[in-house]
Amino acid sequence: MGLKKFPEKKGLYDPAFEHDSCGIGFVVNVKGIRSNSIIRQAITVLENLEHRGACGCEPNTGDGAGILFQKPHEFFVDALGADGITLPAEQDYGVGMIFLSPDSSVEKNTKRILEEIVFQEDQTVLGWRVVPTDNSSLGATALGCEPGIRQIFIGRGDGTATGDDFERQLYIIRKRAETEIKTAGHDEYFYAPSFSARTIVYKGMLVTWQLT
C-alpha cells in the first residue's frame, strides 16, 4: 500500500510542518484583528478537545487542554481596576499564569519567593489576581490534586526595553521560579503554563473565564 502524499505547499500551508499530534485547533484573523468572536470560536474548539494526549481511568480526568491567545489588555484593565490595581500601557507589563498549592500557607510562601525573584531581576510586581474557576466537571482524581490558579502581573523595569528584552526577563523569572520553588521543594503544585507580555495560556479543563 502506498503512502498518502501530503498536499502541495499553498498559501499558509507548508507540508514541511506536518507532524503527529493528539489534536489541535487553530482560529485566526489573517488581518490580525482581535475580537471576542475568535476567543469564543477557540473555546468551541476546546470543548471538543477533552485532553492533550491522555485520559486517566475516569472519563472526566485527563492531562488537560487549553487555549493560547494574545494578552487581553482592556479586560485586565477592567478586572484589576475593580481591585484597585492600575496597569500601565500594554507593552509595559507581563502576565504569569501560575498554578500553586491549595494550602494557603504554602501559597503565601510561593508568592513571596516569586515576588523576590521579580525584584531581583529588576522588574516590579503590580499585583495578583485570583482566576475564577469551575471544577464541576472534574473527576475525583483531578479534584484530588487541583491546584490554586493565580495570575501575577509584572511591570517592566526602567532598565528593560519593551519587546524581546522584556520577554527575556520574564523567561528568566519563570525559569528561576521553577528551580527555586518547585525543584527546591517549596511547592510541588507550582507550574507556570505561560509567562509573557504577549500571550496567555488558559487550561480549559480547569478554568472557566467569562468574556464580554
Side-chain angles (χ1 to χ4, degrees), residues 109-123:
N109 187 53
T110 297
K111 287 181 175 180
R112 178 188 61 79
I113 297 173
L114 182 52
E115 289 178 0
E116 287 178 356
I117 293 172
V118 172
F119 175 77
Q120 291 167 6
E121 295 298 331
D122 298 320
Q123 310 305 307

Side-chain angles (χ1 to χ4, degrees), residues 42-130:
I43 291 174
T44 299
V45 173
L46 185 62
E47 290 172 346
N48 290 281
L49 292 173
E50 295 182 353
H51 58 86
R52 294 173 297 155
C55 277
C57 58
E58 304 161 339
N60 50 359
T61 292
D63 61 356
I67 60 176
L68 172 70
F69 55 97
Q70 291 170 297
K71 183 176 67 180
H73 176 61
E74 293 81 5
F75 174 84
F76 283 143
V77 168
D78 291 341
L80 272 73
D83 294 329
I85 300 173
T86 302
L87 291 177
E90 183 173 359
Q91 70 272 15
D92 291 332
Y93 73 96
V95 185
M97 194 73 184
I98 308 296
F99 293 0
L100 37 69
S101 174
D103 184 306
S104 59
S105 61
V106 177
E107 175 190 343
K108 182 177 180 180
N109 187 53
T110 297
K111 287 181 175 180
R112 178 188 61 79
I113 297 173
L114 182 52
E115 289 178 0
E116 287 178 356
I117 293 172
V118 172
F119 175 77
Q120 291 167 6
E121 295 298 331
D122 298 320
Q123 310 305 307
T124 304
V125 175
L126 302 174
W128 289 84
R129 175 174 178 258
V130 176

Side-chain angles (χ1 to χ4, degrees), residues 23-55:
I24 186 171
F26 189 69
V27 182
V28 64
N29 183 303
V30 295
K31 295 183 179 180
I33 300 173
R34 300 183 184 188
S35 70
N36 179 266
S37 64
I38 290 179
I39 297 296
R40 293 193 179 278
Q41 290 173 40
I43 291 174
T44 299
V45 173
L46 185 62
E47 290 172 346
N48 290 281
L49 292 173
E50 295 182 353
H51 58 86
R52 294 173 297 155
C55 277

